[in-house]
Amino acid sequence: MEFTKFIKRKTVGAIIALAIASTPNLVLADFPEAPVKVYVGFKPGGRTDTIARKISNYINEKDLLGQPMIIVNKPGAASANAAREVLAAGGDGHTIMHWSHGMLISNSMGVNDISPDDFTSLGFTGGGSPVWAVRSDSPYETFDDLVKALQAEPESLVEAVGIGTVPHLVGVQVASAADFKTRLIGAPGGADRLARLLGGNADIALFAATEYLKFEPNGIRALVYFGANRLATLPNVPTASELGYDVVWANPAWWLAPPNLDEAAAAKLQSVLKTAIESDEMQTWFKENSLDPYWTEGDTALSESSKVLEGLKVVVSENGISK
């Protein structure tokens, strides 16, 4: 009798185990069970924050996740503060991050040791390139004017940057290519750089093109664009390449998650991000804001980023700007 009960229990257990193993995406059906927090390592208002909010708003309005996607701004340490909280979060997919190739810059300079390989790469939702801008009342009407002034009197102008951020490394590359030097003042986010520029504390600042279009009415003027080709929304702003300087920078909107992310959660997050960026609404918004709308799968995004990181390490070494 006891033997018969044992056999029955074993049989029922085996049936349950088989049912679980053969049911695909069992966890996917349950994810997410709570709001998904998206960390942004800057203050509200910059490019990284704006893209994260735009895409999360679309996902929420269309109820693609079944739970709200909310933005958490945690600025500081070139986004390392936000990154460390995300890396310490569990791999259930409820805490992720929206960053950019700023991570590669801070890594290449030794500002922090956070590496792309530390995360689960979810993918790119488009990207874009930046401009160098001055105040509208600046005497420098063209980039050539600015270069001549700095070559005649090195370090005579102040450039607003965040050490170990995209503006810093792009500035280093263009200064090296055009053979001039600036003085640096700290301003990690786009809003900080705008304040430094308008307040007279800086003469030059770098903005993502989408930031520039938003900030332009405040009284700033773009002199040069660092994309591969001119933008339709800034037709009168030449590229650095056109002016003879081999400096091109394309900054993707990169979505990252903690290591060992649950596969079903990763699939769900990638699916909603891809759906969002490929929607007519996002395609239109990105183009209107001087951004390229496209989707890049997580593994490909990681591979492309690793190649960029190796190139940046060369730039850092050649210019002696490691920490």
Side-chain angles (χ1 to χ4, degrees):
M1 186 65 175
E2 288 302 317
F3 177 77
T4 302
K5 288 181 179 179
F6 173 77
I7 291 298
K8 284 182 178 178
R9 286 198 299 270
K10 293 289 285 184
T11 302
V12 170
I15 291 172
I16 292 173
L18 179 62
I20 291 173
S22 62
T23 303
N25 299 326
L26 187 63
V27 179
L28 175 62
D30 297 328
F31 175 82
E33 297 177 325
V36 172
K37 294 185 292 184
V38 180
Y39 274 71
V40 173
F42 302 102
K43 297 176 183 176
R47 193 198 83 144
T48 307
D49 176 75
T50 300
I51 293 176
R53 290 179 185 278
K54 189 67 182 178
I55 289 181
S56 65
N57 284 344
Y58 180 87
I59 290 171
N60 292 338
E61 288 171 1
K62 304 299 181 186
D63 195 24
L64 299 182
L65 265 179
Q67 288 279 352
M69 179 176 274
I70 57 176
I71 306 301
V72 179
N73 294 95
K74 190 172 183 61
S79 289
N81 292 343
R84 291 193 178 99
E85 290 208 14
V86 172
L87 289 171
D92 59 8
H94 291 91
T95 301
I96 62 175
M97 184 170 187
H98 181 238
W99 206 354
S100 68
H101 276 175
M103 172 177 35
L104 310 183
I105 289 176
S106 55
N107 178 283
S108 66
M109 293 181 64
V111 174
N112 62 62
D113 59 0
I114 297 173
S115 162
D117 294 325
D118 294 335
F119 296 88
T120 299
S121 173
L122 294 172
F124 295 155
T125 53
S129 299
V131 300
W132 247 22
V134 295
R135 285 187 304 279
S136 297
D137 61 359
S138 167
Y140 310 110
E141 295 288 340
T142 68
F143 185 64
D144 188 48
D145 294 339
L146 194 73
V147 171
K148 287 179 179 176
L150 282 165
Q151 288 176 338
E153 192 174 351
E155 300 186 295
S156 58
L157 300 177
V158 176
E159 178 187 354
V161 303
I163 300 298
T165 65
V166 170
H168 186 196
L169 253 288
V170 172
V172 167
Q173 291 179 76
V174 72
S176 177
D179 192 25
F180 62 68
K181 288 186 178 180
T182 63
R183 286 182 289 130
L184 304 182
I185 185 172
D192 300 311
R193 293 191 291 280
L194 179 67
R196 298 283 190 276
L197 203 56
L198 296 179
N201 305 112
D203 303 290
I204 312 160
L206 182 138
F207 299 101
T210 185
E211 283 180 327
Y212 174 75
L213 290 171
K214 184 169 65 174
F215 295 156
E216 185 181 22
N218 290 285
I220 60 175
R221 181 173 64 246
L223 298 185
V224 62
Y225 176 60
F226 295 107
N229 301 291
R230 288 197 189 202
L231 280 171
T233 49
L234 297 171
N236 298 320
V237 179
T239 67
S241 300
E242 285 179 63
L243 300 175
Y245 307 108
D246 185 21
V247 181
V248 177
W249 179 263
N251 205 23
W254 198 359
W255 297 79
L256 300 157
N260 302 316
L261 177 65
D262 177 85
E263 290 185 6
K268 180 71 172 181
L269 289 166
Q270 290 172 325
S271 174
V272 299
L273 290 169
K274 183 174 186 289
T275 298
I277 192 60
E278 291 182 347
S279 68
D280 291 342
E281 182 177 329
M282 286 298 103
Q283 293 278 312
T284 299
W285 184 84
F286 268 63
K287 292 173 183 173
E288 287 177 347
N289 286 275
S290 305
L291 293 163
D292 297 322
Y294 56 84
W295 170 250
T296 301
E297 297 289 346
D299 289 345
T300 303
L302 178 60
S303 175
E304 292 179 1
S305 300
S306 296
K307 293 177 182 175
V308 173
L309 177 58
E310 293 308 308
L312 286 172
K313 287 180 178 177
V314 173
V315 172
V316 167
S317 175
E318 290 178 345
N319 289 277
I321 54 172
S322 59
K323 181 180 177 183

